[in-house]
Amino acid sequence: MAVPAQRYSDAGTARQLADPAFWQQPPGARLAAFAALRALDSPLYVPEGSGRGHWALVRHADVQEASRLPKVFASAPG
């Protein structure tokens, strides 16, 4: 996986994952949201109000690749 371009078109779906209410939905609804994200051709960048954002990595291969790129994909600020 090369570093993907930042995509926002489906950010609403990915942003739901951070909402506690998302996890109260029936399992089928949650699985459908993850399936929609996995169907994208690359990971999705989700902007946040602070001007920062995060990547929605929902495929195993993307998580593995991101772990090899700590300067791009990091959970720490900076």
Side-chain angles (χ1 to χ4, degrees), residues 2-3 7 10 12 14 18-19 22-23 25 29 34 37 40 45 49 51-54 61-62:
V3 177
R7 295 184 48 199
D10 299 313
D19 184 348
F22 172 82
W23 300 99
Q25 294 180 17
F34 279 106
L37 291 171
L40 299 173
Y45 184 79
R52 295 179 167 235
H54 64 273
D62 292 338

Side-chain angles (χ1 to χ4, degrees), residues 42-61:
S42 65
L44 184 71
Y45 184 79
V46 183
E48 296 176 6
S50 64
R52 295 179 167 235
H54 64 273
W55 292 95
L57 301 175
V58 296
R59 289 183 294 243
H60 183 259

Side-chain angles (χ1 to χ4, degrees), residues 1-2 4-5 8 12 24 26 35 37 40-41 48 50 62 65-66 73 75:
M1 170 185 76
Y8 304 103
Q24 300 303 315
L37 291 171
L40 299 173
D41 60 350
E48 296 176 6
S50 64
D62 292 338
E65 185 67 20
F73 297 98
S75 59

